[in-house]
Amino acid sequence: MPELKSPTCALDLREPSNCLNIAMAKPREEIRVIVRVKDKATTVKLMEAVGALSNDGKSFSAVVTREDDAQQTQDLCYRDLLKSFSYLD
């Protein structure tokens, strides 16, 4: 049986509302975020995901639910994520 590989997902930091929502997140509050999903090397599509800041405010997790109901989680250091916003100007 062939092994199925999940798409690679990344927060879309080019979307201004994404950056604002993430920067204003409160611990454990679920927010809508936009992620970029690469199914193939030449295809990039946007999807909605649910993100949340950890209780201690140190990490941010985004959970993407694919069409087949499989989930993929991306965990990021919240401080590094906020720092990356300053490089987008």
Side-chain angles (χ1 to χ4, degrees), residues 4-24:
L4 297 176
K5 295 186 179 184
S6 61
T8 302
C9 297
L11 284 172
D12 184 5
L13 299 181
R14 292 180 270 187
E15 174 60 43
S17 65
N18 231 14
C19 296
L20 181 62
N21 289 342
I22 293 168
M24 302 292 289

Side-chain angles (χ1 to χ4, degrees), residues 15-43:
E15 174 60 43
S17 65
N18 231 14
C19 296
L20 181 62
N21 289 342
I22 293 168
M24 302 292 289
K26 294 180 178 25
R28 296 182 58 194
E29 174 187 19
E30 289 187 347
I31 61 171
R32 180 185 74 80
V33 293
I34 305 297
V35 295
R36 290 189 159 299
V37 180
K38 293 184 179 183
D39 289 330
K40 297 178 183 168
T42 58
T43 306

Side-chain angles (χ1 to χ4, degrees), residues 25-31 33 50-54 59-63:
K26 294 180 178 25
R28 296 182 58 194
E29 174 187 19
E30 289 187 347
I31 61 171
V33 293
V50 176
L53 182 62
S54 64
S59 65
F60 184 83
S61 295
V63 179

Side-chain angles (χ1 to χ4, degrees), residues 39-80:
D39 289 330
K40 297 178 183 168
T42 58
T43 306
V44 178
K45 63 181 179 176
L46 298 177
M47 288 181 64
E48 285 191 8
V50 176
L53 182 62
S54 64
N55 284 339
D56 62 7
K58 292 184 179 181
S59 65
F60 184 83
S61 295
V63 179
V64 178
T65 302
R66 298 186 335 210
E67 293 170 357
D68 62 359
D69 289 331
Q71 291 187 333
Q72 179 179 354
T73 303
Q74 182 181 21
D75 294 309
L76 303 159
C77 174
Y78 187 62
R79 185 175 58 197
D80 291 344

